[in-house]
Amino acid sequence: MGGAPAHSLRLRDPLPPSRPPALPPSRLPPGPGEAAGGSGAVDRPAGWRARRGGVLPPHERGRRDRGAAASARVRRVGRGAAPHGPEAVGGRWRSPPLPARRGPRYKATVERSGRELSEIGPSVTSAELPVEEPVRRLIGRLGLGSLDGSELSSHPGRNDNWSGVTDTGAAVFVKKLRGGSGESLRRYRRIMAFERMAGDAPAAVPHPELLGGDEENRLLAFALLDDVRSGSELAADDGFGPELAHTAGRTLAALHRMPHRADALPRPDPHPFPPTEDLRELPLHVYLGATGAFLQAWGLLQRDRPLLGALERLRASEDGRFDVPVHGDLRLDQFLVADGRLYLSDWEEFRLGDPARDIGAFAGEWLHRAVLRIPVDGDAGEPLAGALTHEQVVARGSRELGRVVPLVASFWQGYREGGGPVAGDPGLAERATAYAGWHLIDRLIASTRENGRLSAIVRAAAGIGRTAVLDPGGFVSTVGFGEAA
């Protein structure tokens, strides 16, 4: 992305990673005006931020202590940067997975990527799925019987889950929120906040019925929908048409105008994305466990000053200005269709915020799918092939974009007809376009979780996202948010 003008879709790659640098926890190179000891380093507290590229002199390399360095941050990921802490396996090097405890700004993206990759695999059968004791207690306390001996299944995802029919005939879906204790508790309470708001307007937003929860064990029990298909499954089969998109728009409008009490979400809970602080200074614990593709992507983003400035302005536009209930993690697989009815699910990122986030995420989902269907010569065999020019993207993608933009336009029409806050917010469509662009960049980051290098087509998608972030006003109609929708 570099410093290319907004109309350009060229992306520049950093040099391939070399060897992993090590950043000791408390002995870092001296800053300007600081005297160094005989070793050429000075003692610093663990929270000190490394601001000079994160690569130490040769005499400091090879030392590592992740625990005490967890709060240090790496200023820049660029030339010579590589995943730190690889493990030798069968004579080859591999980067370890990201640590379980991660900063909140990047956590959701990483877990989302893992979830989407895992969804390719089959669900787990009851023979491989023991029912945990807290799950038994919750089901019993709710008077639903027992899942022991039932035919259970578990679907790949961000959280542990069990679904089946109890011995009393109740069809249930139980979810256990994974993650650190603090973060999982916040997600649990966001779900409960949504349920309290939805209780005041039960017909406003169709969603799976919550049967009960266990805050201590981060467990939630829902009524199991029968013969359900997700929006992403329908999209893959070309079954997510304009009518369903129109309904999705009306559903989202109902969420955004849902009445809420002032004490429903008493604490400020700003959305973690775009992670502008991390784009300036990457947390060290993320850097230490990152893949080569992640560092490559982050290096591209960190050097793109126009993009960083635009993302910071986009985030700043939300501060203190919007108190609309938003989903916060809207994707096609959060829409569920059962018995001819559309439901919206997964409220872990629910909060008050800018409605443009959800609107833009819906459009971004379709734009991302469209770009990934553009054939790219040599993409599979040459991950570092030259980035596509603007003309090539337009020529190869016009058909795919022409297929999905009417769906976004139908969604936008449904949103407007459903009473979404459009009339009183003249900048809504423009901000939504910028968030659609961010969604494409976020997909670039998510794609790096399991990949060694970035593919040309993923970089091209992020390039399209970049143009939308930098000049959202020029792409409102192109995305599908025009007044004629």
Side-chain angles (χ1 to χ4, degrees):
M1 296 173 186
H7 64 271
S8 173
L9 296 180
R10 290 186 179 275
L11 303 175
R12 298 186 306 192
D13 293 306
L15 293 178
S18 57
R19 58 179 178 177
L23 284 83
S26 60
R27 295 187 62 79
L28 296 171
E34 295 176 327
S39 65
V42 293
D43 290 332
R44 298 189 187 278
W48 186 79
R49 295 184 175 187
R51 298 181 181 271
R52 298 196 297 164
V55 180
L56 299 185
H59 62 272
E60 287 288 348
R61 292 176 183 163
R63 302 173 60 191
R64 54 190 289 198
D65 182 350
R66 297 187 184 183
S71 61
R73 303 172 73 88
V74 177
R75 179 66 165 174
R76 198 58 90 162
V77 176
R79 295 179 182 273
H84 181 70
E87 302 170 0
V89 179
R92 295 193 291 180
W93 292 96
R94 76 176 183 196
S95 295
L98 288 175
R101 291 293 298 272
R102 291 181 286 273
R105 289 179 299 279
Y106 187 64
K107 179 182 179 67
T109 297
V110 173
E111 290 187 344
R112 183 187 309 164
S113 172
R115 176 174 63 225
E116 290 176 347
L117 289 169
S118 66
E119 283 175 353
I120 299 173
S123 60
V124 180
T125 62
S126 59
E128 305 165 291
L129 186 70
V131 179
E132 297 180 3
E133 183 58 32
V135 176
R136 292 192 182 95
R137 291 198 300 267
L138 175 61
I139 295 298
R141 179 168 60 82
L142 295 174
L144 301 174
S146 172
L147 283 171
D148 291 327
S150 302
E151 182 178 346
L152 300 179
S153 63
S154 177
H155 302 282
R158 178 181 186 178
N159 304 298
D160 296 330
N161 60 83
W162 298 260
S163 59
V165 179
T166 69
D167 56 6
T168 63
V172 297
F173 173 80
V174 182
K175 177 163 65 175
K176 178 179 181 179
L177 303 181
R178 288 192 289 190
S181 59
E183 175 61 19
S184 62
L185 179 60
R186 286 189 289 272
R187 285 157 44 208
Y188 181 94
R189 289 179 175 174
R190 291 187 195 115
I191 294 172
M192 289 302 183
F194 165 76
E195 293 293 340
R196 287 193 297 270
M197 286 191 191
D200 295 335
V205 182
H207 59 282
E209 179 187 1
L210 177 68
L211 303 175
D214 176 354
E215 180 175 294
E216 180 181 359
N217 293 290
R218 314 293 195 264
L219 291 172
L220 299 130
F222 298 89
L224 182 65
L225 297 176
D226 186 36
D227 195 22
V228 64
R229 299 195 72 193
S230 71
S232 58
E233 291 176 313
L234 292 168
D237 295 339
D238 293 329
F240 201 114
E243 184 177 352
L244 191 57
H246 187 274
T247 302
R250 294 186 68 92
T251 300
L252 195 63
L255 169 66
H256 290 170
R257 59 181 173 79
M258 189 166 65
H260 59 279
R261 301 185 302 270
D263 61 346
L265 290 167
R267 295 183 179 180
D269 189 13
H271 200 284
F273 296 105
T276 51
E277 184 177 345
D278 287 358
L279 288 170
R280 295 289 184 185
E281 299 173 348
L282 185 66
L284 179 60
H285 64 274
V286 174
Y287 174 82
L288 295 179
T291 65
F294 174 84
L295 296 180
Q296 185 184 2
W298 220 252
L300 290 170
L301 295 172
Q302 287 184 329
R303 290 195 297 274
D304 195 338
R305 294 184 181 277
L307 177 63
L308 294 184
L311 291 175
E312 287 174 342
R313 290 190 295 273
L314 182 61
R315 287 214 60 164
S317 70
E318 185 176 31
D319 292 344
R321 294 182 53 202
F322 302 99
D323 60 353
V324 173
V326 298
H327 186 280
D329 187 27
L330 194 74
R331 290 174 290 107
L332 289 180
D333 59 5
Q334 314 292 29
F335 289 101
L336 306 175
V337 177
D339 295 327
R341 192 179 188 192
L342 183 69
Y343 297 84
L344 189 52
S345 66
D346 290 348
W347 300 95
E348 296 171 43
E349 300 300 328
F350 174 77
R351 50 175 47 86
L352 301 181
D354 187 350
R357 287 185 175 274
D358 291 342
I359 300 169
F362 184 89
E365 281 278 274
W366 286 107
L367 293 176
H368 184 252
R369 287 176 174 271
V371 176
L372 291 187
R373 291 180 62 163
I374 300 173
V376 179
D377 295 336
D379 188 46
E382 300 177 15
L384 291 180
L388 299 176
T389 65
H390 178 75
E391 291 75 15
Q392 287 173 317
V393 170
V394 171
R396 298 185 183 194
S398 59
R399 182 186 64 187
E400 292 300 329
L401 292 176
R403 183 179 61 86
V404 303
V405 168
L407 296 176
V408 177
S410 182
F411 163 86
W412 181 235
Q413 182 178 3
Y415 184 83
R416 292 159 62 90
E417 293 176 359
V422 178
D425 187 356
L428 179 61
E430 188 169 323
R431 295 195 316 277
T433 301
Y435 276 116
W438 160 249
H439 189 86
L440 293 176
I441 297 170
D442 183 49
R443 297 296 82 210
L444 168 79
I445 299 171
S447 72
T448 67
R449 182 65 178 91
E450 300 291 339
N451 298 309
R453 289 181 176 178
L454 299 176
S455 70
I457 193 61
V458 170
R459 293 200 315 272
I464 294 173
R466 180 182 188 273
T467 62
V469 171
L470 291 178
D471 183 21
F475 288 88
V476 167
S477 297
T478 303
V479 170
F481 296 143
E483 290 294 328

